[in-house]
Amino acid sequence: MQKGKIIKGIGGFYYVHTRDNVIYECRAKGIFRKNGIKPLVGDDVGIEILDEKEKTGNLMEILPRKNTLIRPAVANVDQALVIFAVNRPKPNFNLLDHFLVMMEYQKVKTVICFNKEDLSTKEELEELQRIYAGCESQVLFVSAGQEKGMEAVHEILKGKTTTVAGPSGVGKSTLINRICPQASMETGEISRKIDRGKHTTRHSELFYVEEDTYLMDTPGFSSLMLPEMEKEDLQNYFPDFTPFEPFCRFQGCLHDKEPDCGIKEALAEGKISERRYQSYLEMLEELKDRRKY
Ligand code: GDP
């Protein structure tokens, strides 16, 4: 039996990338259906090779999963890399913070990568650093266009499976193509046009970069919805708020209208960023509205 990783699944076929850098087209044997387990992109699997020339095989075994993301539906993701531009376009902080909450909820570490550093001033970079200082996310500044800071991105990706997200125009394709040229067809303008025009279901797909290193494009990034949660739980996904929560007078404080709130005090003292707090309030409203309807 050979070991490999499912990098794509379409129409009952699973494409398994092995350590020898070969891709086998495999079918899942009945055992999985009986167990109720559906193989997922990202699964580490054992395959039986049927035809070495045709590169076909059978999925025999799914190794235990480290985790399973719901959106995108993929197994064994180690981290997320979210890309925004420092400028042109200006970062959409609400979208960025939505993504951070979504990943925190799914217990996946996020690295924030601000691209187009060449178009920014020192003050702008410091401001971005300050906003995300209290979050557990590492913040990187790069210029994919000018190949600046790319070693740091490479280092972060190495040996891991990373889901890469970002709105259009920020230089995500440029960055991915620098790291993984074989992914270029999927990340450029063409795939976006196909997506828009035909409403095709976007399949999750991993791209092999180097040994044990895979990248995945995160579909549906621009229309992120918060996961199902109680409004009281939202704050759990803002790690920059956590140190100040014990200073709230009321248990279950939502840090909104309540008096003697540790978060609002930290905000007034500049220990929490105004931007992050605004994102929190907007998400809180989103959760309250959801309740009403
Ligand atoms: P995507 O929509 O996020 O995939 O963005 P693209 O990779 O297509 O890039 C959008 C535009 O930004 C293109 O015109 C790129 O040439 C430009 N771009 C990408 N990276 C950089 C960068 O680091 N600096 C500057 N100034 N422009 C960049």
Side-chain angles (χ1 to χ4, degrees):
M1 202 160 55
Q2 278 244 31
K3 294 261 185 279
K5 195 183 228 357
I6 301 180
I7 56 167
K8 183 163 69 169
I10 292 177
F13 287 105
Y14 296 94
Y15 296 84
V16 176
H17 178 263
T18 64
R19 292 193 81 91
D20 309 329
N21 199 13
V22 180
I23 296 169
Y24 292 91
E25 184 181 77
C26 300
R27 280 202 174 276
K29 303 268 282 188
I31 39 168
F32 298 117
R33 243 159 283 151
K34 262 185 241 150
N35 296 346
I37 301 175
K38 193 175 178 301
L40 282 177
V41 168
D43 268 330
D44 293 312
V45 295
I47 62 168
E48 165 196 61
I49 293 165
L50 290 178
D51 189 326
E52 191 54 72
K53 236 171 92 203
E54 296 287 320
K55 306 282 183 247
T56 56
N58 278 327
L59 282 191
M60 303 302 286
E61 179 190 17
I62 297 179
L63 302 184
R65 290 172 181 158
K66 274 192 274 187
N67 63 14
T68 311
L69 299 202
I70 324 160
R71 266 174 284 162
V74 57
N76 300 321
V77 166
D78 294 302
Q79 60 186 0
L81 180 76
V82 64
I83 307 170
F84 278 84
V86 182
N87 266 317
R88 284 190 247 165
K90 284 252 179 234
N92 177 338
F93 291 98
N94 195 263
L95 190 58
L96 171 51
D97 292 334
H98 256 81
F99 186 77
L100 293 181
V101 167
M102 186 90 127
M103 286 299 147
E104 189 84 22
Y105 179 83
Q106 301 185 90
K107 299 194 174 61
V108 174
K109 182 178 93 125
T110 304
V111 175
I112 306 172
C113 180
F114 288 108
N115 187 34
K116 309 198 188 183
E117 187 189 7
D118 52 296
L119 300 180
S120 65
T121 62
K122 190 163 155 273
E123 289 69 37
E124 282 170 327
L125 299 186
E126 282 169 0
E127 168 70 1
L128 292 172
Q129 203 121 44
R130 202 181 52 74
I131 295 174
Y132 291 98
C135 299
E136 279 150 9
S137 305
Q138 189 179 345
V139 180
L140 291 179
F141 296 101
V142 304
S143 172
Q146 302 192 345
E147 295 223 38
K148 263 182 65 192
M150 296 304 289
E151 316 76 54
V153 179
H154 227 118
E155 212 41 55
I156 280 168
L157 301 178
K158 207 171 183 169
K160 301 211 163 95
T161 296
T162 307
T163 183
V164 184
S168 83
V170 301
K172 190 175 74 165
S173 313
T174 309
L175 190 139
I176 291 180
N177 293 344
R178 292 256 186 260
I179 288 165
C180 177
Q182 59 272 38
S184 60
M185 285 184 327
E186 302 292 324
T187 54
E189 276 301 321
I190 299 165
S191 71
R192 274 206 291 275
K193 276 185 195 136
I194 295 171
D195 275 354
R196 281 207 205 111
K198 292 191 180 162
H199 295 286
T200 45
T201 316
R202 189 73 119 70
H203 296 280
S204 304
E205 181 171 359
L206 291 180
F207 294 97
Y208 175 67
V209 180
E210 58 187 33
E211 202 177 339
D212 295 324
T213 307
Y214 295 88
L215 286 187
M216 199 184 101
D217 199 3
T218 312
F221 178 71
S222 52
S223 54
L224 289 178
M225 292 248 299
L226 287 176
E228 276 304 317
M229 67 167 90
E230 298 297 328
K231 59 184 186 311
E232 290 76 14
D233 292 336
L234 178 63
Q235 56 189 292
N236 299 341
Y237 308 109
F238 280 74
D240 40 346
F241 289 13
T242 313
F244 309 105
E245 279 159 16
F247 301 105
C248 293
R249 171 141 66 110
F250 297 103
Q251 244 199 331
C253 180
L254 289 176
H255 322 308
D256 184 9
K257 308 255 157 53
E258 298 87 345
D260 298 329
C261 163
I263 303 302
K264 279 187 281 180
E265 278 163 23
L267 185 70
E269 291 165 13
K271 291 176 180 162
I272 288 175
S273 123
E274 183 68 38
R275 284 246 188 235
R276 291 278 296 162
Y277 182 64
Q278 285 309 325
S279 285
Y280 169 80
L281 287 184
E282 279 171 47
M283 287 185 226
L284 194 64
E285 282 309 308
E286 187 182 324
L287 290 174
K288 283 183 190 164
D289 283 350
R290 202 180 276 179
R291 275 277 184 77
K292 274 188 229 153
Y293 295 107

